[in-house]
Amino acid sequence: MDNLNDNAAASPVSEPRKQKKKKVLLMGKSGSGKSSMRSIIFSNYVAKDTRRLGATIDVDLSSVKFLGNLTLNLWDCGGQDAFMENYLSQQRQHVFSNVGVLIYVFDIESRDLERDLHTYRSIIAALGQYSPNSSVYILVHKMDLVVPSQREDIYNERVAVIREKSDDFVPVPFATSIWDQSLYKAWAEIIHDLVPNLDQIEQHLGDLGKLIMAEEVLLFERSSFLVVSSWCSEIGALNPTSDRFERFSNIIKNFKQTTSRYTGTPKSAEQFALMELKLINFSLFVIKFTTNTYLAVILPPGEERFNLAMENCYIARKNFEDLDSPARKSADRGATSASTEA
């Protein structure tokens, strides 16, 4: 098998990149599940632990680093009526200016849909006034509470009504629950759309996958274990389990939670550097890849193929590290765009 360094000369050294900050509004009525999903995705909670979370008071601000050059400024906005009215009046410009993404959560079990839609419509109007180019994602949440045979119809009906209230925005909808992998699917696609150098990452990942003759290669963000990018071969594309990436994220997050409980390490700690799985039909390994990522590789069975693939992935680290590093300042460069964006 060729060594990845053989192709290094053909890959131009990427220019230092500007750091990107994205303001993300997480909104929805009180009790819709906003803080629970945020805690699961970004704070390594498991679903049952979110029961002890209290209501969000006003705006809970946090910065979440994704790879080296993307930081999400996440505004978890309390959904009580008094707070919503305040966002839309006194704090209108402050809250809705320079927004990159609005994630609006609808509780599928809400008993006052008309009022929820009225509030959403007011939020959309404010967003259109101050951030008309932002992206909008709709999470129709707590779908586990709906009878399985009715979920698709109820979800489609709800999405159709929401879209009618979205003005010039074209919201991207997801059906979600904290009790399954649907939450990871939604957030992974949101993050996927925000990564600024995604085209380079995908090209490198594809080159690596072909080189090591993998069936699938997945690149995960370190702390959330959301899939940043993926590549699959023609054989990998035949896999009938369409939500396997989200299932994988969910499994690893639960594994890290268990490891933390029994070792006493923080939930956000690294906790493992290598995981191997060798079965009759396939082999898999997960390695700590770059500063902010893990790499999962799925291969046909075979010890020699497995060892060569892992060695080439370790060699490939330096080709990915530049994509996973923040912008470098030099004497002739001023502040990055991070200092100018809200």
Side-chain angles (χ1 to χ4, degrees), residues 276-291:
E276 297 183 8
L277 181 64
K278 298 176 182 178
L279 302 175
I280 296 175
N281 297 325
F282 73 94
S283 298
L284 176 150
F285 62 81
V286 184
I287 61 172
K288 180 70 172 67
F289 196 46
T290 64
T291 305

Side-chain angles (χ1 to χ4, degrees), residues 104 106 108 113 117 120 137-141 143 151-166 169-176:
Y104 202 94
F106 283 90
I108 194 65
L113 178 58
L117 290 171
Y120 170 73
Y137 294 88
I138 300 299
L139 305 188
V140 182
H141 197 46
M143 290 297 293
R151 285 177 188 170
E152 185 174 357
D153 289 341
I154 291 177
Y155 168 72
N156 289 335
E157 290 173 5
R158 188 62 51 90
V159 168
V161 173
I162 294 170
R163 281 178 166 156
E164 290 177 357
K165 305 293 184 180
S166 299
F169 292 98
V170 183
V172 180
F174 295 95
T176 57

Side-chain angles (χ1 to χ4, degrees), residues 117-151:
L117 290 171
H118 176 75
T119 301
Y120 170 73
R121 175 65 183 78
S122 299
I123 296 296
I124 285 294
L127 189 69
Q129 180 180 0
Y130 292 104
S131 301
N133 296 319
S134 60
S135 300
V136 177
Y137 294 88
I138 300 299
L139 305 188
V140 182
H141 197 46
K142 303 184 183 179
M143 290 297 293
D144 57 288
L145 300 178
V146 180
V147 177
S149 61
Q150 300 177 9
R151 285 177 188 170

Side-chain angles (χ1 to χ4, degrees), residues 225-259:
F225 244 85
L226 294 174
V227 176
V228 175
S229 183
S230 63
W231 173 88
C232 65
S233 66
E234 292 181 0
I235 295 176
L238 299 176
N239 192 318
T241 308
S242 59
D243 61 349
R244 60 192 180 280
F245 299 165
E246 297 79 48
R247 288 175 181 267
F248 200 174
S249 292
N250 200 1
I251 290 169
I252 293 295
K253 290 291 284 289
N254 279 277
F255 168 73
K256 291 182 67 178
Q257 179 83 6
T258 302
T259 302

Side-chain angles (χ1 to χ4, degrees), residues 65-125:
K65 186 176 181 181
F66 267 83
L67 305 183
N69 64 326
L70 174 63
T71 298
L72 304 184
N73 285 337
L74 187 60
W75 294 41
D76 184 355
C77 301
Q80 293 89 337
D81 289 343
F83 294 141
M84 285 290 193
E85 291 173 7
N86 192 32
Y87 305 148
L88 293 167
S89 54
Q90 287 95 332
Q91 296 191 64
R92 189 180 183 93
Q93 183 172 357
H94 174 64
V95 171
F96 294 101
S97 293
N98 302 311
V99 176
V101 174
L102 167 66
I103 303 171
Y104 202 94
V105 182
F106 283 90
D107 182 350
I108 194 65
E109 287 269 291
S110 175
R111 298 181 182 276
D112 196 350
L113 178 58
E114 287 302 318
R115 189 172 183 179
D116 294 347
L117 290 171
H118 176 75
T119 301
Y120 170 73
R121 175 65 183 78
S122 299
I123 296 296
I124 285 294

